Short mmCIF file of all heavy atoms in Angstrom, two decimals:
data_model
loop_
_atom_site.label_atom_id
_atom_site.label_comp_id
_atom_site.label_asym_id
_atom_site.label_seq_id
_atom_site.Cartn_x
_atom_site.Cartn_y
_atom_site.Cartn_z
N ALA A 85 77.51 -14.79 34.53
CA ALA A 85 78.03 -15.89 35.34
C ALA A 85 78.92 -16.81 34.52
O ALA A 85 79.99 -17.24 34.96
CB ALA A 85 76.87 -16.67 35.96
N ALA A 86 78.47 -17.09 33.32
CA ALA A 86 79.26 -17.95 32.44
C ALA A 86 80.60 -17.31 32.12
O ALA A 86 81.64 -17.98 32.05
CB ALA A 86 78.49 -18.25 31.16
N SER A 87 80.58 -15.97 31.94
CA SER A 87 81.82 -15.26 31.64
C SER A 87 82.78 -15.34 32.82
O SER A 87 83.98 -15.55 32.65
CB SER A 87 81.51 -13.80 31.31
OG SER A 87 82.69 -13.07 31.12
N LYS A 88 82.22 -15.16 34.06
CA LYS A 88 83.07 -15.24 35.25
C LYS A 88 83.67 -16.63 35.40
O LYS A 88 84.86 -16.78 35.70
CB LYS A 88 82.25 -14.89 36.50
CG LYS A 88 81.85 -13.42 36.59
CD LYS A 88 81.04 -13.16 37.84
CE LYS A 88 80.64 -11.69 37.93
NZ LYS A 88 79.80 -11.42 39.13
N VAL A 89 82.85 -17.63 35.23
CA VAL A 89 83.35 -19.00 35.33
C VAL A 89 84.41 -19.27 34.28
O VAL A 89 85.44 -19.90 34.54
CB VAL A 89 82.20 -20.01 35.22
CG1 VAL A 89 82.74 -21.44 35.11
CG2 VAL A 89 81.27 -19.89 36.40
N ALA A 90 84.17 -18.75 33.07
CA ALA A 90 85.14 -18.95 31.99
C ALA A 90 86.47 -18.28 32.33
O ALA A 90 87.54 -18.85 32.13
CB ALA A 90 84.59 -18.39 30.68
N ARG A 91 86.38 -17.04 32.87
CA ARG A 91 87.61 -16.34 33.25
C ARG A 91 88.34 -17.08 34.37
O ARG A 91 89.56 -17.19 34.36
CB ARG A 91 87.30 -14.91 33.68
CG ARG A 91 86.94 -13.97 32.54
CD ARG A 91 87.05 -12.51 32.95
NE ARG A 91 86.18 -12.20 34.07
CZ ARG A 91 84.93 -11.78 33.95
NH1 ARG A 91 84.40 -11.65 32.74
NH2 ARG A 91 84.20 -11.51 35.01
N TYR A 92 87.57 -17.55 35.35
CA TYR A 92 88.20 -18.29 36.45
C TYR A 92 88.83 -19.58 35.95
O TYR A 92 89.91 -19.97 36.39
CB TYR A 92 87.16 -18.60 37.53
CG TYR A 92 87.79 -18.84 38.87
CD1 TYR A 92 87.96 -17.80 39.79
CD2 TYR A 92 88.25 -20.10 39.23
CE1 TYR A 92 88.55 -18.01 41.02
CE2 TYR A 92 88.84 -20.32 40.46
CZ TYR A 92 88.99 -19.28 41.34
OH TYR A 92 89.59 -19.51 42.55
N ARG A 93 88.13 -20.22 35.00
CA ARG A 93 88.69 -21.46 34.45
C ARG A 93 89.99 -21.17 33.70
O ARG A 93 90.96 -21.92 33.79
CB ARG A 93 87.68 -22.11 33.50
CG ARG A 93 88.05 -23.53 33.07
CD ARG A 93 87.08 -24.04 32.02
NE ARG A 93 85.74 -24.11 32.51
CZ ARG A 93 85.24 -25.15 33.18
NH1 ARG A 93 86.02 -26.19 33.44
NH2 ARG A 93 84.00 -25.15 33.59
N GLU A 94 90.01 -20.05 32.96
CA GLU A 94 91.22 -19.69 32.23
C GLU A 94 92.37 -19.39 33.19
O GLU A 94 93.52 -19.65 32.92
CB GLU A 94 90.94 -18.47 31.36
CG GLU A 94 90.02 -18.76 30.18
CD GLU A 94 89.65 -17.50 29.41
OE1 GLU A 94 90.12 -16.42 29.82
OE2 GLU A 94 88.90 -17.59 28.44
N ASP A 95 92.03 -18.81 34.37
CA ASP A 95 93.06 -18.43 35.33
C ASP A 95 93.40 -19.54 36.32
O ASP A 95 94.17 -19.35 37.24
CB ASP A 95 92.60 -17.19 36.11
CG ASP A 95 93.75 -16.52 36.84
OD1 ASP A 95 94.81 -16.34 36.21
OD2 ASP A 95 93.59 -16.18 38.03
N LEU A 96 92.80 -20.69 36.11
CA LEU A 96 92.99 -21.81 37.04
C LEU A 96 94.46 -22.21 37.14
O LEU A 96 94.98 -22.43 38.23
CB LEU A 96 92.14 -23.00 36.59
CG LEU A 96 91.82 -24.03 37.67
CD1 LEU A 96 91.11 -23.40 38.84
CD2 LEU A 96 90.95 -25.14 37.08
N ASN A 97 95.15 -22.27 36.02
CA ASN A 97 96.56 -22.64 36.02
C ASN A 97 97.39 -21.62 36.80
O ASN A 97 98.31 -21.98 37.55
CB ASN A 97 97.08 -22.77 34.59
CG ASN A 97 96.50 -23.98 33.88
OD1 ASN A 97 96.09 -24.94 34.52
ND2 ASN A 97 96.45 -23.93 32.56
N GLY A 98 97.04 -20.34 36.61
CA GLY A 98 97.76 -19.31 37.36
C GLY A 98 97.51 -19.41 38.85
O GLY A 98 98.41 -19.20 39.66
N THR A 99 96.28 -19.74 39.24
CA THR A 99 95.95 -19.90 40.65
C THR A 99 96.72 -21.05 41.26
O THR A 99 97.26 -20.95 42.37
CB THR A 99 94.44 -20.14 40.81
OG1 THR A 99 93.72 -19.03 40.25
CG2 THR A 99 94.07 -20.27 42.29
N VAL A 100 96.79 -22.15 40.55
CA VAL A 100 97.54 -23.31 41.02
C VAL A 100 99.02 -22.96 41.18
O VAL A 100 99.67 -23.33 42.17
CB VAL A 100 97.38 -24.50 40.05
CG1 VAL A 100 98.32 -25.64 40.41
CG2 VAL A 100 95.94 -25.00 40.06
N ALA A 101 99.58 -22.21 40.25
CA ALA A 101 100.98 -21.80 40.32
C ALA A 101 101.23 -20.91 41.54
O ALA A 101 102.23 -21.04 42.24
CB ALA A 101 101.39 -21.08 39.04
N ASP A 102 100.29 -19.98 41.81
CA ASP A 102 100.43 -19.11 42.98
C ASP A 102 100.39 -19.93 44.27
O ASP A 102 101.17 -19.68 45.21
CB ASP A 102 99.30 -18.07 43.01
CG ASP A 102 99.55 -16.94 42.02
OD1 ASP A 102 100.68 -16.85 41.49
OD2 ASP A 102 98.61 -16.16 41.76
N LEU A 103 99.49 -20.89 44.34
CA LEU A 103 99.40 -21.74 45.53
C LEU A 103 100.70 -22.52 45.73
O LEU A 103 101.15 -22.71 46.86
CB LEU A 103 98.22 -22.70 45.41
CG LEU A 103 96.83 -22.08 45.51
CD1 LEU A 103 95.76 -23.13 45.29
CD2 LEU A 103 96.62 -21.42 46.87
N ALA A 104 101.28 -22.98 44.64
CA ALA A 104 102.55 -23.72 44.73
C ALA A 104 103.66 -22.82 45.26
O ALA A 104 104.48 -23.25 46.09
CB ALA A 104 102.92 -24.28 43.36
N ARG A 105 103.70 -21.56 44.81
CA ARG A 105 104.71 -20.62 45.30
C ARG A 105 104.52 -20.34 46.79
O ARG A 105 105.48 -20.26 47.56
CB ARG A 105 104.66 -19.32 44.50
CG ARG A 105 105.42 -19.38 43.17
CD ARG A 105 105.47 -18.02 42.50
NE ARG A 105 104.17 -17.67 41.97
CZ ARG A 105 103.78 -17.95 40.71
NH1 ARG A 105 104.61 -18.58 39.89
NH2 ARG A 105 102.60 -17.60 40.29
N ARG A 106 103.26 -20.17 47.19
CA ARG A 106 102.98 -19.91 48.60
C ARG A 106 103.39 -21.10 49.46
O ARG A 106 103.97 -20.94 50.54
CB ARG A 106 101.49 -19.62 48.77
CG ARG A 106 101.04 -18.34 48.07
CD ARG A 106 99.54 -18.32 47.83
NE ARG A 106 98.80 -18.06 49.03
CZ ARG A 106 98.42 -16.84 49.43
NH1 ARG A 106 98.72 -15.78 48.70
NH2 ARG A 106 97.73 -16.68 50.52
N GLN A 107 103.09 -22.31 48.97
CA GLN A 107 103.46 -23.50 49.71
C GLN A 107 104.98 -23.64 49.83
O GLN A 107 105.50 -24.03 50.87
CB GLN A 107 102.86 -24.74 49.03
CG GLN A 107 103.02 -26.03 49.82
CD GLN A 107 102.26 -26.00 51.13
OE1 GLN A 107 101.27 -25.30 51.28
NE2 GLN A 107 102.74 -26.75 52.10
N GLN A 108 105.68 -23.31 48.74
CA GLN A 108 107.14 -23.38 48.77
C GLN A 108 107.70 -22.40 49.80
O GLN A 108 108.66 -22.72 50.52
CB GLN A 108 107.68 -23.07 47.37
CG GLN A 108 109.20 -23.22 47.27
CD GLN A 108 109.70 -22.86 45.88
OE1 GLN A 108 109.28 -21.88 45.28
NE2 GLN A 108 110.62 -23.66 45.36
N PHE A 109 107.12 -21.22 49.88
CA PHE A 109 107.55 -20.22 50.87
C PHE A 109 107.39 -20.78 52.28
O PHE A 109 108.30 -20.71 53.11
CB PHE A 109 106.73 -18.94 50.70
CG PHE A 109 107.12 -17.83 51.64
CD1 PHE A 109 107.98 -16.83 51.24
CD2 PHE A 109 106.61 -17.80 52.93
CE1 PHE A 109 108.34 -15.81 52.11
CE2 PHE A 109 106.96 -16.79 53.82
CZ PHE A 109 107.83 -15.79 53.40
N ILE A 110 106.20 -21.35 52.56
CA ILE A 110 105.92 -21.87 53.89
C ILE A 110 106.91 -22.98 54.24
O ILE A 110 107.48 -23.02 55.35
CB ILE A 110 104.48 -22.40 53.97
CG1 ILE A 110 103.48 -21.24 53.84
CG2 ILE A 110 104.24 -23.14 55.28
CD1 ILE A 110 102.04 -21.67 53.70
N GLU A 111 107.13 -23.90 53.31
CA GLU A 111 108.02 -25.03 53.58
C GLU A 111 109.46 -24.56 53.81
O GLU A 111 110.15 -25.08 54.70
CB GLU A 111 107.97 -26.02 52.42
CG GLU A 111 106.63 -26.76 52.33
CD GLU A 111 106.53 -27.65 51.10
OE1 GLU A 111 107.50 -27.64 50.29
OE2 GLU A 111 105.52 -28.34 50.95
N LYS A 112 109.91 -23.57 53.05
CA LYS A 112 111.26 -23.06 53.24
C LYS A 112 111.41 -22.40 54.61
O LYS A 112 112.43 -22.56 55.28
CB LYS A 112 111.61 -22.04 52.14
CG LYS A 112 112.04 -22.69 50.83
CD LYS A 112 112.61 -21.64 49.89
CE LYS A 112 113.21 -22.30 48.64
NZ LYS A 112 113.84 -21.31 47.75
N MET A 113 110.41 -21.65 55.03
CA MET A 113 110.48 -20.98 56.31
C MET A 113 110.49 -21.99 57.46
O MET A 113 111.23 -21.84 58.44
CB MET A 113 109.30 -20.01 56.48
CG MET A 113 109.31 -18.82 55.53
SD MET A 113 110.78 -17.77 55.69
CE MET A 113 111.76 -18.36 54.29
N ILE A 114 109.66 -23.01 57.34
CA ILE A 114 109.62 -24.03 58.40
C ILE A 114 110.94 -24.78 58.47
O ILE A 114 111.51 -24.98 59.55
CB ILE A 114 108.44 -25.00 58.16
CG1 ILE A 114 107.12 -24.26 58.37
CG2 ILE A 114 108.54 -26.20 59.11
CD1 ILE A 114 105.90 -25.10 58.04
N ASP A 115 111.45 -25.19 57.31
CA ASP A 115 112.72 -25.93 57.28
C ASP A 115 113.88 -25.10 57.83
O ASP A 115 114.74 -25.60 58.55
CB ASP A 115 113.04 -26.39 55.86
CG ASP A 115 112.10 -27.48 55.38
OD1 ASP A 115 111.43 -28.10 56.24
OD2 ASP A 115 112.01 -27.72 54.16
N ALA A 116 113.91 -23.82 57.47
CA ALA A 116 115.04 -22.97 57.83
C ALA A 116 115.01 -22.52 59.29
O ALA A 116 116.06 -22.40 59.93
CB ALA A 116 115.10 -21.75 56.92
N HIS A 117 113.81 -22.26 59.83
CA HIS A 117 113.74 -21.63 61.14
C HIS A 117 113.12 -22.48 62.24
O HIS A 117 113.38 -22.23 63.41
CB HIS A 117 112.92 -20.33 61.03
CG HIS A 117 113.52 -19.31 60.12
ND1 HIS A 117 114.50 -18.43 60.52
CD2 HIS A 117 113.28 -19.02 58.81
CE1 HIS A 117 114.84 -17.66 59.50
NE2 HIS A 117 114.11 -17.99 58.46
N ILE A 118 112.31 -23.44 61.88
CA ILE A 118 111.57 -24.18 62.90
C ILE A 118 111.94 -25.65 62.93
O ILE A 118 112.11 -26.24 63.98
CB ILE A 118 110.05 -24.01 62.71
CG1 ILE A 118 109.67 -22.54 62.83
CG2 ILE A 118 109.28 -24.85 63.71
CD1 ILE A 118 108.21 -22.25 62.56
N GLY A 119 112.11 -26.24 61.76
CA GLY A 119 112.37 -27.68 61.69
C GLY A 119 111.06 -28.43 61.63
O GLY A 119 110.31 -28.31 60.66
N GLU A 120 110.76 -29.16 62.65
CA GLU A 120 109.49 -29.89 62.69
C GLU A 120 108.36 -28.94 63.00
O GLU A 120 108.44 -28.12 63.93
CB GLU A 120 109.56 -31.01 63.74
CG GLU A 120 108.32 -31.90 63.75
CD GLU A 120 108.45 -33.02 64.75
OE1 GLU A 120 109.55 -33.17 65.33
OE2 GLU A 120 107.47 -33.75 64.97
N LEU A 121 107.28 -29.03 62.22
CA LEU A 121 106.15 -28.13 62.39
C LEU A 121 105.50 -28.34 63.75
O LEU A 121 105.16 -29.47 64.12
CB LEU A 121 105.12 -28.38 61.29
CG LEU A 121 103.94 -27.39 61.22
CD1 LEU A 121 104.46 -26.00 60.88
CD2 LEU A 121 102.93 -27.84 60.19
N PRO A 122 105.33 -27.28 64.54
CA PRO A 122 104.73 -27.42 65.87
C PRO A 122 103.33 -28.02 65.78
O PRO A 122 102.57 -27.73 64.85
CB PRO A 122 104.66 -25.98 66.39
CG PRO A 122 105.65 -25.23 65.57
CD PRO A 122 105.68 -25.89 64.23
N GLU A 123 103.00 -28.85 66.76
CA GLU A 123 101.71 -29.53 66.75
C GLU A 123 100.56 -28.53 66.81
O GLU A 123 99.54 -28.71 66.15
CB GLU A 123 101.64 -30.48 67.96
CG GLU A 123 100.36 -31.32 67.99
CD GLU A 123 100.36 -32.31 69.13
OE1 GLU A 123 101.44 -32.55 69.70
OE2 GLU A 123 99.29 -32.83 69.47
N GLU A 124 100.73 -27.45 67.58
CA GLU A 124 99.65 -26.48 67.69
C GLU A 124 99.40 -25.77 66.37
O GLU A 124 98.27 -25.40 66.05
CB GLU A 124 99.94 -25.45 68.78
CG GLU A 124 101.23 -24.66 68.59
CD GLU A 124 102.41 -25.32 69.28
OE1 GLU A 124 102.40 -26.56 69.41
OE2 GLU A 124 103.33 -24.59 69.68
N ALA A 125 100.47 -25.59 65.58
CA ALA A 125 100.29 -24.94 64.27
C ALA A 125 99.57 -25.87 63.31
O ALA A 125 98.71 -25.45 62.54
CB ALA A 125 101.64 -24.55 63.70
N GLN A 126 99.89 -27.16 63.36
CA GLN A 126 99.21 -28.13 62.50
C GLN A 126 97.73 -28.20 62.84
O GLN A 126 96.89 -28.24 61.95
CB GLN A 126 99.84 -29.51 62.66
CG GLN A 126 101.28 -29.62 62.20
CD GLN A 126 101.80 -31.02 62.30
OE1 GLN A 126 101.13 -31.97 61.88
NE2 GLN A 126 102.99 -31.19 62.83
N ALA A 127 97.42 -28.20 64.11
CA ALA A 127 96.02 -28.35 64.53
C ALA A 127 95.19 -27.14 64.15
O ALA A 127 94.01 -27.26 63.87
CB ALA A 127 95.96 -28.55 66.05
N GLY A 128 95.82 -25.97 64.11
CA GLY A 128 95.03 -24.77 63.87
C GLY A 128 94.86 -24.41 62.42
O GLY A 128 94.00 -23.63 62.07
N ALA A 129 95.67 -24.98 61.54
CA ALA A 129 95.65 -24.52 60.15
C ALA A 129 94.33 -24.79 59.48
O ALA A 129 93.67 -23.90 58.95
CB ALA A 129 96.78 -25.20 59.38
N ALA A 130 93.89 -26.07 59.49
CA ALA A 130 92.66 -26.41 58.77
C ALA A 130 91.43 -25.90 59.50
O ALA A 130 90.43 -25.56 58.88
CB ALA A 130 92.57 -27.93 58.61
N ALA A 131 91.50 -25.80 60.83
CA ALA A 131 90.32 -25.43 61.59
C ALA A 131 89.92 -23.99 61.35
O ALA A 131 88.74 -23.66 61.34
CB ALA A 131 90.58 -25.65 63.09
#
Side-chain angles (χ1 to χ4, degrees):
S87 176
K88 290 179 180 178
V89 171
R91 286 197 301 270
Y92 203 93
R93 191 187 299 274
E94 290 174 0
D95 195 46
L96 201 57
N97 290 336
T99 302
V100 171
D102 283 348
L103 289 176
R105 277 187 287 268
R106 295 160 75 93
Q107 188 64 27
Q108 185 182 42
F109 182 97
I110 293 172
E111 291 175 357
K112 279 191 173 183
M113 293 300 100
I114 292 175
D115 290 343
H117 299 276
I118 299 176
E120 185 177 353
L121 188 64
E123 184 176 344
E124 58 269 29
Q126 295 184 46

